[in-house]
Amino acid sequence: MIAALFPGQGSQEVGMGKALYQGSQAAREALERAEATLPGLLALLWEGPEDALKLTANQQPALLAVGYAAYQAYREAGGKEPTYAAGHSLGEWTAHVAAGTLALEDALRLVRKRGEYMQEAVPVGQGAMAAILKVPLEVILEEIAGIEGVELANLNSPEQTVISGKAEGVHRAVELLKARRARAVLLPVSAPFHSSLMRPARERLAHDLQHVPFSSPKFPVYSNVTAHPETDPSRIKTLLLEQITHSVRWVEILQSLKAHGVAKFLEFGSGRVLTGLVGRTLEGVEANSLTTPAEIAEALALGA
C-alpha cells in the first residue's frame, strides 16, 4: 500500500515547482490553473524574493500548488493512486485537493485567506513557537503543565515536538526544558500556529467555508485533529477548521498508516521534511520525496 504525503510550512524554497512545470504537462496545467487563480504566484515561486515567499499568506498557496502539481506529474507518469493520503498542517488541504475533496481553485483561495487570518490573529511578538528535541513527550507535558498559554502544536516524531502559545510562556518553557537536557530551538515564525490563540483565524475562515462545495474523497485522507482517515465531506470541512487551533498529531498518523498496511510513503511537493519524519518514526518502510520529474521517474522505476 502507498500513502501520499504533503508538506506544510517550512518546506518552501525559491525555484520550487519549476522542474515540474518544464517536465510534465499535467504539472504545467495544474500550475497554470494556480496562476490563473492567484496571479503572480508563479513569479513568486520561481523568482521570490525569499522573504515574500515566507509570508504565511503566500507560503500556503505556494506549497499547495506545488504539492498538487507534483502529485499530478506522478499520476501522469503512471504512478498508482495512493491507498491513503495525509498532509502536515497546510498539507492536509493539498491532500484533499489531490483526493478530489475540493477544487484546486477553491483550495488556493481558502488557504490564502487562512494564511492571512492566521497572521492577523496575534500581533507580531506576542506569540512564539519552539521545537523541543531529545526528550520524551511526557517530559514536555510535565514542564508546560504549569505555564499558562503554552500548548502542544506539532507532534512530529518521537523525539521532536513543537510547542506554541504566548511568547513569555514559550520562552519560559524553553528554559525549563533545557534544564531537563532537552534541545530547544525557537522557531522563526510570525505567529503561534496550532494554538488556541488562533481562534480568531478559525472563526473567520468558517465564514469563507460556508458556501464552498466539498465532495467525498477518492481515497481517505487523515485528519491532523483525529489522526484517523476521514471520508465524510461535512466532517472533513469541520476538521479542517478545528485543525487551525489543534495539535498536528503526525506521529500517530504515521503509526496508523503503517498499522493499516502502508509500506511506501511518497512525499509530494518541496523538500524532504516529511520523508525525514517517516524515517525517524517508523521502521521497515520506504519513504521518497518526489519534487521533480526525475525523482518521480526514479521512484516509479523502483515500483512506487
Side-chain angles (χ1 to χ4, degrees):
M1 292 184 184
I2 294 173
L5 305 181
F6 298 89
Q9 290 190 206
S11 290
Q12 77 286 339
E13 63 177 348
V14 175
M16 66 180 184
K18 194 163 190 177
L20 290 165
Y21 185 91
Q22 295 172 338
S24 163
Q25 179 64 30
R28 184 180 307 113
E29 291 174 359
L31 290 169
E32 287 178 348
R33 286 171 61 193
E35 173 67 17
T37 304
L38 299 177
L41 184 62
L42 294 186
L44 179 65
L45 285 174
W46 300 334
E47 301 170 14
E50 185 177 354
D51 286 347
L53 183 59
K54 283 183 178 178
L55 293 174
T56 300
N58 291 335
Q59 190 178 156
Q60 294 197 21
L63 285 166
L64 190 152
V66 173
Y68 178 66
Y71 177 75
Q72 290 297 95
Y74 163 80
R75 293 288 284 149
E76 177 188 50
K80 301 173 185 176
E81 184 174 279
T83 312
Y84 300 100
H88 192 285
S89 190
L90 173 277
E92 187 178 336
W93 288 81
T94 316
H96 278 296
V97 177
T101 313
L102 73 166
L104 172 64
E105 291 80 2
D106 287 336
L108 287 166
R109 286 187 284 264
L110 286 167
V111 300
R112 166 63 61 83
K113 293 284 190 182
R114 180 180 184 267
E116 291 173 354
Y117 299 159
M118 291 170 76
Q119 181 61 65
E120 294 167 0
V122 179
V124 174
Q126 292 190 17
M129 299 181 76
I132 313 300
L133 303 98
K134 306 300 182 183
V135 292
L137 178 60
E138 293 75 18
V139 171
I140 299 171
L141 290 171
E142 285 176 19
E143 294 299 346
I144 70 172
I147 305 176
E148 182 181 357
V150 179
E151 305 165 43
L152 297 178
N154 304 337
L155 293 94
N156 288 334
S157 76
E159 290 194 347
Q160 184 190 114
T161 300
V162 176
I163 58 174
S164 180
K166 295 180 180 178
E168 182 179 347
V170 170
H171 283 84
R172 176 60 179 155
V174 164
E175 293 174 3
L176 293 173
L177 285 160
K178 283 183 176 179
R180 297 287 297 271
R181 298 189 175 182
R183 181 184 170 208
V185 182
L186 288 167
L187 300 179
V189 296
S190 53
F193 304 130
H194 296 291
S195 74
S196 56
L197 295 177
M198 290 287 104
R199 189 168 289 113
R202 172 176 160 177
E203 292 171 353
R204 293 173 73 185
L205 189 64
H207 176 77
D208 295 321
L209 270 173
Q210 283 182 356
H211 304 295
V212 176
F214 276 54
S215 302
S216 297
K218 291 179 285 187
F219 40 83
V221 176
Y222 272 74
S223 165
N224 285 194
V225 175
T226 66
H228 292 298
E230 305 288 347
T231 57
D232 178 72
S234 178
R235 179 168 169 78
I236 288 167
K237 186 180 289 192
T238 298
L239 289 170
L240 284 173
L241 283 174
E242 290 184 16
Q243 183 217 64
I244 293 175
T245 55
H246 198 280
S247 303
V248 175
R249 298 167 63 181
W250 195 249
V251 172
E252 293 171 82
I253 288 171
L254 294 182
Q255 291 171 339
S256 177
L257 283 164
K258 184 180 180 183
H260 278 83
V262 172
K264 292 184 179 180
F265 293 81
L266 302 177
E267 179 179 5
F268 295 95
S270 176
R272 298 181 53 83
V273 172
L274 302 185
T275 302
L277 292 179
V278 170
R280 290 192 286 275
T281 305
L282 304 176
E283 294 183 355
V285 301
E286 298 178 25
N288 292 284
S289 176
L290 307 184
T291 66
T292 66
E295 290 180 345
I296 291 169
E298 183 178 354
L300 291 175
L302 295 173

